């Protein structure tokens, strides 16, 4: 998603941004690719009409729409019609505008270009020289396909000059094979020879076979798979692939569209690949992985001009940054909709502390020991997952029915009902079936009855936040 605003084609085959009317009448064909993509997404997820209807029932969202779309707000007021303010059209425009903010501004490379000569290490400087030096002059020539502010344009793309033409220069065949999911396409089509031909599936032109869109090289450190088939798992693997210049896939590699800039970048009759040394591969990898990485895109930094992709403290601390929304039901730390930030599935809701799953019946809670000295009592438990599925996120041990004269000394917090609880951080975020954890509860008795055994019951919840 990084750098969408700098592309006139989106999706790997370039479908979003097409100049025809295949996306219907809501979005004019000459609108930016970001709006075409947004429309495709809203349609694919069956959110057209439905999303606007839901947003109209959230007062804080309506207020934000009024601020963002004053002309539509005036029309809505005049006609007493909320559909004129919060509609598919304004939802699409707002979402597309958000997509255009998905950029990074504070990478070491950006700071270096702004005049900070200490922003790059010596290795990263060497990597930058390789990146921006032509292959014929001893470099890697990466800029030939990755130029422009977001490094997602080919250097001969007229769009870089502001003309805004819909061009084909941003698609290239570098011999990559199919994503494993294409096996389903072969099965459904009953065609064992079917291949994902990328751009050709959009243009139906043979000269576009196996070409895929040039993507940004920013934020690669956060990526875990690379290329359209996800077959590479590190930036260095990708650099080594280009350095070798040998197609991964026999079918894509045999196509007439295979780029000589990949196979023989040093010219005709030369050896394949870039011819970089091991140290040069390391320097180029360092530049790509670290010099082009902006931590503020993923982790909120109040001192950075880069906006996080996910909602951050400034977005969700309404009491400080948007006090006008608090009176309309906005709660700090929670989306205005009350839904999970990513997917509103059960696990995401538990991850965000919006709800909790009672797993008491799934676990065996066995007291394995208890001792007391003075006013203290220590109870030791073994908690075993007896179910067939994992217990995920955090495990919250809730102590119910505790006397007012007894305090859970090692409590993590108190529930909304006033019961103390201990938050257990599970290894790797899960307690697998048949596995156990140990947990000690430390109680302090107060008052005259400080010699009596502490009595209580335990419940187990899965989730984060405060129950």
């Amino acid at each position: 998603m990084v750098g969408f605003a700098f592309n006139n084609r989106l999706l790997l085959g370039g479908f979003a941004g097409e100049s025809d009317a295949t996306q219907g009448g809501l979005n004019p064909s000459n609108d930016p690719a970001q709006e075409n993509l947004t429309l495709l997404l809203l349609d694919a997820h069956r959110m057209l009409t439905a999303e606007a209807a839901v947003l109209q029932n959230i007062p804080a969202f309506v207020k934000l729409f009024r601020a963002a779309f004053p002309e539509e707000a005036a029309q809505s007021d005049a006609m007493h019609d909320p559909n004129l303010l919060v509609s598919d059209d304004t939802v699409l425009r707002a979402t597309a505008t958000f997509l255009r903010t998905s950029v990074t501004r504070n990478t070491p490379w950006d700071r270096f270009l702004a005049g900070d000569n200490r922003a790059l290490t010596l290795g990263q400087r060497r990597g930058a020289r390789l990146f921006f030096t032509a292959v014929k002059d001893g470099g890697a020539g990466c800029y030939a396909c990755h130029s422009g502010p977001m490094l997602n344009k080919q250097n001969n793309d007229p769009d870089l000059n502001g003309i805004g033409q819909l061009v084909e220069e941003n698609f290239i065949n570098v011999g990559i094979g199919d994503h494993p999911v294409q096996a389903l396409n072969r099965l459904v089509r009953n065609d064992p020879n079917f291949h994902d031909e990328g751009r050709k599936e959009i243009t139906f032109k043979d000269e576009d076979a196996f070409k895929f869109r040039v993507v940004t090289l920013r934020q690669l450190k956060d990526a875990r798979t690379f290329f359209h088939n996800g077959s590479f798992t590190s930036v260095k693997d990708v650099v080594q692939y280009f350095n070798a210049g040998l197609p991964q896939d026999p079918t894509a590699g045999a196509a007439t569209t295979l780029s000589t800039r990949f196979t023989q970048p040093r010219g005709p009759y030369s050896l394949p690949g870039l011819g970089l040394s091991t140290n040069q591969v390391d320097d180029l990898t360092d530049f790509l992985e670290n010099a082009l990485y902006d931590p503020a895109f993923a982790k909120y930094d109040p001192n950075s001009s880069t906006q996080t992709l996910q909602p951050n403290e400034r977005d969700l601390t309404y009491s400080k940054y948007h006090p006008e929304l608090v009176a309309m039901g906005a709660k700090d730390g929670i989306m205005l909709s009350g839904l999970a930030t990513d997917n509103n599935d059960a696990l995401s809701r538990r991850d965000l502390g919006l709800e909790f799953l009672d797993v008491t019946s799934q676990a065996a809670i066995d007291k394995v020991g208890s001792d007391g000295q003075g006013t203290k009592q220590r109870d030791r438990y073994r908690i075993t997952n007896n179910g067939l599925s994992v217990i995920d996120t955090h495990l919250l041990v809730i102590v119910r029915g505790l006397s007012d004269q007894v305090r859970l000394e090692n409590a993590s917090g108190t529930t909304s009902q006033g019961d103390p609880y201990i938050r257990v951080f599970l290894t790797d975020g899960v307690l697998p079936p048949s596995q156990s954890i140990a947990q000690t509860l430390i109680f302090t008795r107060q008052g005259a009855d400080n010699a009596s055994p502490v009595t209580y019951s335990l419940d187990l919840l899965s989730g984060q936040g405060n129950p």
Side-chain angles (χ1 to χ4, degrees):
M1 292 181 65
V2 179
F4 270 23
F6 294 85
N7 270 308
N8 54 13
R9 288 284 202 275
L10 296 173
L11 302 182
L12 289 172
F15 181 50
E18 282 304 292
S19 57
D20 57 26
T22 55
Q23 288 93 21
L26 179 63
N27 187 37
S29 60
N30 61 350
D31 273 1
Q34 296 78 23
E35 296 193 11
N36 272 326
L37 177 64
T38 304
L39 176 59
L40 291 170
L41 293 174
L42 294 176
D43 187 29
H45 293 282
R46 296 174 176 84
M47 295 168 71
L48 291 175
T49 304
E51 183 179 10
V54 172
L55 292 173
Q56 288 177 16
N57 293 320
I58 304 174
F61 259 121
V62 173
K63 184 173 181 63
L64 291 176
F65 269 80
R66 294 184 69 85
F69 302 101
E71 292 184 9
E72 288 78 0
Q75 295 170 6
S76 174
D77 292 343
M79 301 296 293
H80 304 289
D81 185 357
N83 295 310
L84 297 177
L85 173 59
V86 185
S87 64
D88 283 344
D89 179 64
T90 53
V91 166
L92 182 150
R93 288 156 58 193
T95 306
T97 299
F98 163 72
L99 290 179
R100 296 185 188 105
T101 69
S102 298
V103 294
T104 59
R105 297 181 174 90
N106 292 297
T107 68
W109 174 242
D110 292 316
R111 296 196 299 273
F112 179 78
L113 292 180
D116 183 358
N117 291 328
R118 296 173 297 178
L120 299 182
T121 66
L122 291 177
Q124 290 164 5
R125 288 192 189 190
R126 292 192 297 267
R129 290 193 198 97
L130 290 167
F131 187 100
F132 290 103
T133 299
V135 178
K136 65 180 179 64
D137 296 323
C142 308
Y143 74 94
C145 291
H146 296 277
S147 60
M150 291 293 121
L151 303 177
N152 56 7
K153 293 284 189 183
Q154 297 200 28
N155 67 346
N156 54 347
D157 177 8
D159 188 59
L160 277 176
N161 300 322
I163 299 174
Q165 297 182 44
L166 295 173
V167 297
E168 299 301 327
E169 293 296 336
N170 284 322
F171 300 87
I172 188 170
N173 177 7
V174 292
I176 297 295
D178 278 353
H179 190 285
V181 77
Q182 293 300 340
L184 298 176
N185 267 329
R186 285 188 278 275
L187 180 65
V188 171
R189 296 167 185 252
N190 195 26
D191 180 3
N193 296 316
F194 171 79
H195 288 278
D196 181 2
E197 293 186 293
R199 184 68 178 146
K200 182 182 175 181
E201 294 192 4
I202 309 302
T203 65
F204 305 106
K205 297 178 181 178
D206 289 339
E207 60 263 33
D208 289 331
F210 302 103
K211 290 184 177 181
F212 292 87
R213 185 172 67 83
V214 174
V215 296
T216 184
L217 296 182
R218 290 172 174 258
Q219 299 302 107
L220 295 186
K221 186 185 290 188
D222 284 338
R224 291 175 174 81
T225 58
F226 302 90
F227 290 118
H228 72 272
N229 67 353
S231 60
F232 291 76
T233 57
S234 75
V235 175
K236 188 172 184 178
D237 288 342
V238 175
V239 174
Q240 290 175 328
Y241 178 71
F242 280 98
N243 195 40
L246 301 174
Q248 175 196 67
D249 180 69
T251 304
T256 58
T257 58
L258 182 68
S259 176
T260 56
R261 280 188 287 170
F262 167 69
T263 56
Q264 291 183 301
R266 290 177 280 179
Y269 314 112
S270 65
L271 292 173
L274 299 171
L276 302 181
S277 68
T278 300
N279 288 339
Q280 288 176 318
V281 167
D282 289 341
D283 288 340
L284 184 54
T285 300
D286 188 13
F287 173 73
L288 294 172
E289 203 167 44
N290 299 306
L292 299 178
Y293 183 76
D294 184 349
F297 187 69
K299 186 177 181 181
Y300 175 61
D301 181 354
N303 299 315
S304 175
S305 59
T306 295
Q307 289 289 326
T308 57
L309 181 66
Q310 294 276 31
N312 57 49
E313 176 186 331
R314 186 183 292 120
D315 300 319
L316 299 181
T317 310
Y318 307 105
S319 58
K320 180 178 180 181
Y321 297 102
H322 302 284
E324 74 282 5
L325 301 180
V326 174
M328 297 183 171
K331 297 180 180 179
D332 284 353
I334 298 177
M335 298 290 288
L336 294 176
S337 62
L339 304 179
T341 306
D342 292 315
N343 304 301
N344 196 44
D345 58 87
L347 179 57
S348 294
R349 291 182 64 79
R350 293 202 299 278
D351 281 340
L352 290 175
L354 297 174
E355 66 183 33
F356 298 85
L357 177 67
D358 192 328
V359 294
T360 308
S361 62
Q362 184 177 338
I365 306 174
D366 300 311
K367 182 183 284 189
V368 295
S370 179
D371 59 75
Q373 183 176 4
T375 60
K376 292 188 183 297
Q377 176 176 315
R378 289 179 175 83
D379 293 344
R380 299 182 297 279
Y381 287 89
R382 181 175 62 248
I383 300 173
T384 306
N385 182 359
N386 283 345
L388 299 177
S389 60
V390 299
I391 295 175
D392 50 34
T393 67
H394 299 167
L395 182 64
L396 305 178
V397 182
I398 315 294
V399 181
R400 308 283 192 192
L402 206 59
S403 166
D404 292 340
Q405 301 298 313
V406 179
R407 182 173 64 90
L408 179 61
E409 189 173 297
N410 59 333
S412 303
T414 305
T415 70
S416 57
Q417 287 79 35
D419 296 313
Y421 68 89
I422 293 177
R423 182 183 306 280
V424 180
F425 296 93
L426 299 172
T427 303
D428 297 325
V430 295
L431 180 61
S434 303
Q435 292 195 15
S436 303
I437 60 169
Q439 182 61 51
T440 299
L441 278 62
I442 305 174
F443 299 99
T444 300
R445 294 182 289 260
Q446 301 172 339
D449 195 22
N450 59 16
S452 300
V454 177
T455 59
Y456 55 91
S457 62
L458 297 179
D459 287 338
L460 303 177
L461 300 182
S462 162
Q464 301 192 53
N466 293 319

